[in-house]
Amino acid sequence: MDDFGNLFKRHTYITKASTSLIYGILVSIAVNFFWTPGHIYSSGMTGFAQLLNTISSRSLPVTIPTGIGLFILNVPLFLLAWRSIGKEFTAFTFITVLLSSMMIQMLNPVPLTHDPIICAIFGGAVNGFGTGLALRNGISTGGLDILGIVIRKKTGKSIGTINIAFNSIIVIAAGFLYGWPYAFYSVLGLLVNARVIDMTYTRQHQMQVMIITDRPNTVIDSVQNHMRRGITIVNDVEGAYRHESKTILFTVISAFEMSELEEALEESDPNAFASVSDTVKILGRFYEPKP
């Protein structure tokens, strides 16, 4: 059993390291192929690193490259994550940021187009896919992710306000440095980036599930073996067609867990009827895996 656990952990580590490399390649493509040629700024620390690069190239004797600036800006956040979140989380965040910084520096810019709208849309899409992929595999891309986790852990509040304020500074800077149309182009890129992240990283998207079955205990055991979710039981309901006794089970899952739910139902009761609908808001405790 210990050998299986070690093998599983090793497989998880390899998956996370591979995802870190993929993210590094994608963010470097976004920066070097789209954002830099189009004068578009990203969100978070990547955008701040771009801002430092632009300002230093214009006002300082030494230019701070975007890749190097990205790593330097994350150093104090690594220390914060090490103390407040965990060593394994910090290690993989360090690897992800290091690979991203290296790939941004190593990948030679290839300006496919200078059209700011195209650069904003495709840069945001490429980076959003990479970020969503990283989040799906339990990897932080550094920057404001770390602050968000620490603040939520200590206060229970989200970092939404800080995110908005930080990104507003970047957008305003884009307006001053390149002209106000580029500030709006950067906003477009941020919106595309956020939308693609939501499409790729579905763990935060909750859905309500209603299951009608005549094998409730088997279904409950199967579902809870596949995922950590509470289930509410409504006994002694009757079907209107055959007037058979049924049981209704209610639970809430993330969209990320949809395939696990389907597998659990197929194993326990292939004839069960399940209805899945989006939830607008959840009040109370909803389990989310720790990073």
Side-chain angles (χ1 to χ4, degrees):
M1 193 67 181
D2 289 340
D3 291 339
F4 176 78
N6 292 333
L7 180 63
F8 179 78
K9 183 175 287 188
R10 193 179 304 119
H11 173 74
T12 302
Y13 288 167
I14 292 173
T15 301
K16 287 187 175 184
S18 301
T19 304
S20 295
L21 177 60
I22 293 171
Y23 170 76
I25 293 172
L26 291 174
V27 73
S28 66
I29 291 173
V31 170
N32 292 321
F33 288 23
F34 297 106
W35 287 334
T36 299
H39 303 312
I40 305 299
Y41 285 119
S42 174
S43 60
M45 287 300 174
T46 305
F48 198 57
Q50 291 177 275
L51 185 59
L52 282 179
N53 174 256
T54 303
I55 293 175
S56 63
S57 66
R58 295 184 181 185
S59 307
L60 299 178
V62 177
T63 300
I64 303 174
T66 300
I68 294 175
L70 176 63
F71 185 82
I72 293 172
L73 290 170
N74 273 282
V75 169
L77 297 174
F78 294 150
L79 301 176
L80 178 64
W82 185 272
R83 294 179 55 186
S84 302
I85 301 177
K87 296 179 181 179
E88 183 177 314
F89 173 87
T90 307
F92 278 108
T93 303
F94 175 85
I95 292 171
T96 303
V97 174
L98 178 63
L99 289 173
S100 301
S101 302
M102 290 174 59
M103 295 305 299
I104 290 172
Q105 288 303 113
M106 292 169 57
L107 193 65
N108 293 323
V110 180
L112 303 177
T113 177
H114 292 279
D115 186 303
I117 296 179
I118 294 177
C119 290
I121 292 174
F122 282 88
V126 170
N127 183 74
F129 178 74
T131 303
L133 189 65
L135 293 172
R136 282 188 66 162
N137 287 276
I139 299 173
S140 165
T141 57
L144 298 184
D145 289 353
I146 296 173
L147 284 178
I149 293 170
V150 172
I151 290 174
R152 189 169 68 241
K153 186 177 179 181
K154 291 186 177 295
T155 67
K157 298 180 180 178
S158 85
I159 196 180
T161 303
I162 295 177
N163 259 308
I164 292 172
F166 198 89
N167 291 329
S168 295
I169 293 172
I170 294 173
V171 168
I172 292 171
F176 279 111
L177 293 171
Y178 293 119
W180 293 107
Y182 287 93
F184 296 114
Y185 297 143
S186 293
V187 170
L188 174 62
L190 296 179
L191 293 174
V192 172
N193 182 71
R195 179 59 180 162
V196 175
I197 290 175
D198 286 342
M199 293 170 60
T200 309
Y201 176 62
T202 55
R203 196 182 296 274
Q204 82 288 359
H205 179 197
Q206 287 89 36
M207 301 185 298
Q208 179 178 279
V209 181
M210 179 185 71
I211 303 168
I212 301 175
T213 178
D214 54 10
R215 302 170 62 185
N217 293 332
T218 305
V219 171
I220 290 171
D221 289 342
S222 182
V223 170
Q224 292 186 329
N225 283 335
H226 282 78
M227 63 190 80
R228 182 176 171 178
R229 293 295 168 214
I231 296 174
T232 300
I233 305 170
V234 181
N235 288 311
D236 301 324
V237 297
E238 182 180 330
Y241 183 65
R242 294 183 178 176
H243 298 282
E244 295 176 336
S245 178
K246 299 284 186 179
T247 299
I248 298 178
L249 308 176
F250 287 100
T251 188
V252 176
I253 66 172
S254 68
F256 185 73
E257 296 168 316
M258 190 63 207
S259 60
E260 295 176 81
L261 175 70
E262 292 174 353
E263 185 177 340
L265 291 178
E266 184 65 30
E267 290 176 0
S268 58
D269 186 3
N271 297 318
F273 175 84
S275 172
V276 182
S277 58
D278 290 340
T279 59
V280 176
K281 187 175 184 179
I282 290 178
L283 300 176
R285 187 174 180 181
F286 180 79
Y287 170 76
E288 293 183 17
K290 294 181 180 179

